[in-house]
Amino acid sequence: MTRQRTDWGEILWLEEESGTPSSGGLEAGIVTLPSGSHQAKHIHYNEQVIYVLQGQAVSWIDGVKSILSPGGFFHWRAGVEHEVMNTGDVSFRHLLVSSPGLQESEPLFPDREKKADVSPDLIYTAVEAIRTQFLETLHYGYAIFDSLGNLIVQSPLFPEYCVRHCDPGNQQGGCSCMRQLDPKEWSRETVFRCRYGMELFHYPIFFEKVFLGYIHGGYIRHSGGKEGRLENVYDVPDSVVTGIRALLGRIVKAIRNYCEFEQFRRELLEKELRITSQEESQRILMKNLRDTQYAMTDLKINNHFLFNTLNSMASMALDGGLMPLYQSIVDLSRMFHYTLRTQNPVVLLEKEMKYVQAYLQLQKLRYGESLQISFRIDARVQKAFVPFNFLQPVVENAFVHGFEESVQKRIRIEIVKKCSSVEIKVINSGKTLSPQACRSINQGIRSNTSHGLSMICQKLYAAYGEQCTCEIASLKNGDTCVWIRIPFRDKDMEGGGL
């Protein structure tokens, strides 16, 4: 048995003779809170089950109050916010079974020389790929940096104590905890305690022996009963530390797994391009690849707005709004006509704009006066040939991502001719992006992560190659701008190609 003391009480951990947790990744112990003791608000990094042995206490799980008394059995999932107060005259004791998660069996740190053919920028592609499906589902504080110490992504969730002292949400990457790793620390996990008494873990991220960056996580109080208490800060047990390390290990592994997938994809593409050196075969291969990219992009365009539109139209019909209903049907018909009747991979820009305008009219039906739309279109670009259906998904991206928290919505489309190029700006007044977020998104666009803007930009790159520019930026007034530059071409070349 091992006794762990904290500033709120103690835990008597039950171990096997080898000193390992009691069973298959589970940890069991008897928790004691003296009379009047208080476990401050904290987030569970792991799943827990308790059985109350003695005393009385009040527990709050995500703000919901419950009474803990002898014989009570409770289950708490990972990610909940928890707080406990001993309200009795004797110590409150309960049996705790925790599932902190198993450490990764494969080594996280390299022991051989690095390979020279891996780009450190690969971490941007990997982080963007796992961001929505994995990172954004976590309820804990973390920050991921590239090999030069530039912030890639940071969790919006940090303990209240950290927010009061460092405000990491408004000073992204600027907290003293988020220091750049010394090269001597690249090959191992390190533990750092900040000047305010919080503890966090640094895990370097390697792929093929190349140092890609590092992740910081934890932001916990773990005193071991040796130091004074911090007001309203929970002193975590050892099982939480185990859970944090396991979680950070899973994040590192997820990044490495995607790097491996991306490296394999790139190598496969290079092999396919080396199949033949004959110019005609190369041209056919590239044309097939380009056509496939067009088809895949068009198939993946999000049409959820269509169901919202049809619902709005049905409601208006019931209310007798015949003219708005008529106009909505016309706009919808134009969109179907454009997508179903257009066979060429290139169209005139004026036709592409009519399609975008029909889409925006339908969004106007949905949002009413809260949506403001404006255009500035250079007459000289109307007869330019552009890829079919490339602009509407860019505009739709503003509604899917930019406007998710905005009540008043403004979108502006500017298209002008500059020398031998067409410059396109889609500007929205939605969520303001930080420089770090813009850099991360642009890295994802260039790396073809198969997400949103990346698909559209890869469609343009397939058509124009190095003559195309596609990136996202935050303007001085806080608006977000998707900026695209493509060559001006007023002829439909090669029988429908660019």
Side-chain angles (χ1 to χ4, degrees), residues 304-305 308-309 312 316 359-373 395-411:
H304 289 171
F305 80 95
N308 294 328
T309 301
S312 298
M316 291 170 62
Y359 168 79
L360 287 172
Q361 282 299 116
L362 291 173
Q363 294 288 20
K364 187 72 173 175
L365 171 69
R366 177 181 178 184
Y367 293 107
E369 295 303 317
S370 65
L371 174 62
Q372 299 177 15
I373 304 168
V395 176
E396 183 176 353
N397 187 74
F399 290 90
V400 175
H401 298 291
F403 290 146
E404 58 187 357
E405 299 175 357
S406 303
V407 176
Q408 293 297 321
K409 304 170 177 62
R410 299 190 312 275
I411 192 161

Side-chain angles (χ1 to χ4, degrees), residues 276-478:
T276 178
S277 60
Q278 297 180 9
E279 185 175 347
E280 180 62 16
S281 298
Q282 181 107 359
R283 189 189 68 80
I284 293 174
L285 177 63
M286 294 306 297
K287 185 178 185 302
N288 290 341
L289 176 61
R290 184 173 64 224
D291 292 343
T292 300
Q293 287 176 325
Y294 287 153
M296 290 299 296
T297 299
D298 294 337
L299 284 173
K300 291 182 179 180
I301 289 175
N302 185 354
N303 284 314
H304 289 171
F305 80 95
L306 179 59
F307 298 99
N308 294 328
T309 301
L310 292 175
N311 288 334
S312 298
M313 291 164 59
S315 298
M316 291 170 62
L318 291 175
D319 294 336
L322 299 181
M323 285 306 296
L325 177 60
Y326 170 77
Q327 185 60 48
S328 301
I329 293 174
V330 170
D331 290 330
L332 197 57
S333 298
R334 286 175 179 167
M335 295 186 70
F336 278 124
H337 183 273
Y338 184 71
T339 55
L340 296 178
R341 297 294 181 87
T342 302
Q343 301 297 323
N344 288 338
V346 295
V347 294
L348 289 174
L349 181 61
E350 63 180 349
K351 290 186 177 180
E352 183 78 0
M353 280 305 304
K354 288 181 180 178
Y355 178 59
V356 172
Q357 288 168 343
Y359 168 79
L360 287 172
Q361 282 299 116
L362 291 173
Q363 294 288 20
K364 187 72 173 175
L365 171 69
R366 177 181 178 184
Y367 293 107
E369 295 303 317
S370 65
L371 174 62
Q372 299 177 15
I373 304 168
S374 61
F375 301 93
R376 182 168 73 91
I377 313 297
D378 190 336
R380 295 176 295 174
V381 302
Q382 295 282 17
K383 298 303 180 182
F385 281 92
V386 297
F388 165 70
N389 196 20
F390 84 98
L391 187 54
Q392 183 272 339
V394 177
V395 176
E396 183 176 353
N397 187 74
F399 290 90
V400 175
H401 298 291
F403 290 146
E404 58 187 357
E405 299 175 357
S406 303
V407 176
Q408 293 297 321
K409 304 170 177 62
R410 299 190 312 275
I411 192 161
R412 179 174 177 80
I413 300 177
E414 299 180 359
I415 307 179
V416 297
K417 185 175 184 293
K418 288 192 174 181
C419 299
S420 59
S421 299
V422 177
E423 185 176 281
I424 303 163
K425 293 181 179 179
V426 179
I427 303 169
N428 73 77
S429 62
K431 179 172 57 178
T432 300
L433 297 177
S434 66
Q436 292 87 355
C438 289
R439 182 168 58 245
S440 178
I441 293 172
N442 286 326
Q443 285 284 352
I445 287 174
R446 287 189 288 270
S447 302
N448 187 14
T449 58
S450 298
H451 291 166
L453 287 176
S454 175
M455 293 193 302
I456 302 304
C457 292
Q458 290 302 317
K459 180 176 184 175
L460 296 175
Y461 291 144
Y464 300 109
E466 296 299 322
Q467 295 177 291
C468 168
T469 302
C470 183
E471 62 183 39
I472 194 167
S474 185
L475 304 182
K476 291 183 179 180
N477 64 354

Side-chain angles (χ1 to χ4, degrees), residues 33-78:
L33 279 75
S35 178
S37 181
H38 174 223
Q39 287 185 346
K41 285 184 181 179
H42 56 280
I43 299 294
H44 275 209
Y45 274 83
N46 41 40
E47 191 173 11
Q48 293 186 357
V49 173
I50 75 164
Y51 178 79
V52 181
L53 303 173
Q54 171 185 300
Q56 297 285 335
V58 177
S59 171
W60 291 267
I61 295 291
D62 290 335
V64 178
K65 180 179 178 180
S66 59
I67 304 299
L68 309 182
S69 56
F73 175 84
F74 300 89
H75 169 255
W76 298 321
R77 69 182 188 280

Side-chain angles (χ1 to χ4, degrees), residues 46-322:
N46 41 40
E47 191 173 11
Q48 293 186 357
V49 173
I50 75 164
Y51 178 79
V52 181
L53 303 173
Q54 171 185 300
Q56 297 285 335
V58 177
S59 171
W60 291 267
I61 295 291
D62 290 335
V64 178
K65 180 179 178 180
S66 59
I67 304 299
L68 309 182
S69 56
F73 175 84
F74 300 89
H75 169 255
W76 298 321
R77 69 182 188 280
V80 300
E81 184 181 69
H82 184 209
E83 183 177 5
V84 178
M85 172 70 75
N86 184 345
T87 57
D89 296 329
V90 299
S91 294
F92 176 73
R93 300 174 69 238
H94 65 79
L95 177 66
L96 165 69
V97 179
S98 174
S99 175
L102 294 173
Q103 294 282 358
E104 299 297 335
S105 57
E106 61 180 291
L108 291 176
F109 314 119
D111 55 5
R112 294 193 298 272
E113 293 296 320
K114 73 176 184 179
K115 294 186 177 180
D117 57 348
V118 175
S119 170
D121 287 343
L122 192 59
I123 191 173
Y124 283 89
T125 306
V127 169
E128 178 63 21
I130 69 171
R131 180 174 55 82
T132 54
Q133 292 86 358
F134 182 25
L135 296 178
E136 291 183 357
T137 65
L138 303 177
H139 301 276
Y140 323 110
Y142 63 84
I144 302 177
F145 298 81
D146 66 16
S147 59
L148 299 178
N150 298 312
L151 179 66
I152 301 175
V153 65
Q154 175 179 298
S155 167
L157 302 173
F158 286 88
E160 293 181 4
Y161 186 80
C162 293
V163 174
R164 290 199 307 271
H165 288 86
C166 296
D167 195 13
N170 292 322
Q171 301 184 56
Q172 292 203 349
C175 175
S176 62
C177 298
M178 300 178 191
R179 61 190 180 93
Q180 185 171 351
L181 286 187
D182 187 282
K184 296 178 182 178
E185 300 176 289
W186 286 359
S187 61
R188 67 182 188 276
E189 170 198 356
T190 58
V191 181
F192 174 72
R193 179 164 301 195
C194 79
R195 58 182 175 175
Y196 298 110
M198 299 296 276
E199 189 172 288
L200 71 156
F201 304 91
H202 306 251
Y203 270 57
I205 303 170
F206 286 87
F207 175 65
E208 297 287 359
K209 319 310 173 199
V210 176
F211 177 62
L212 301 182
Y214 45 94
I215 180 172
H216 295 177
Y219 306 96
I220 57 172
R221 164 76 168 158
H222 183 228
S223 72
K226 298 177 182 178
E227 300 182 14
R229 138 192 336 260
L230 295 179
E231 184 179 357
N232 293 325
V233 176
Y234 177 58
D235 190 4
V236 303
D238 291 341
S239 61
V240 171
V241 176
T242 304
I244 291 172
R245 286 175 165 158
L247 174 63
L248 294 177
R250 287 197 296 271
I251 295 175
V252 171
K253 185 176 181 181
I255 292 174
R256 293 197 321 195
N257 285 347
Y258 191 86
C259 287
E260 186 174 358
F261 164 78
E262 180 66 12
Q263 189 80 347
F264 176 76
R265 187 188 70 83
R266 293 180 182 181
E267 291 174 358
L268 182 62
L269 180 60
E270 290 175 1
K271 289 179 181 179
E272 289 176 349
L273 293 176
R274 290 196 300 264
I275 289 175
T276 178
S277 60
Q278 297 180 9
E279 185 175 347
E280 180 62 16
S281 298
Q282 181 107 359
R283 189 189 68 80
I284 293 174
L285 177 63
M286 294 306 297
K287 185 178 185 302
N288 290 341
L289 176 61
R290 184 173 64 224
D291 292 343
T292 300
Q293 287 176 325
Y294 287 153
M296 290 299 296
T297 299
D298 294 337
L299 284 173
K300 291 182 179 180
I301 289 175
N302 185 354
N303 284 314
H304 289 171
F305 80 95
L306 179 59
F307 298 99
N308 294 328
T309 301
L310 292 175
N311 288 334
S312 298
M313 291 164 59
S315 298
M316 291 170 62
L318 291 175
D319 294 336
L322 299 181

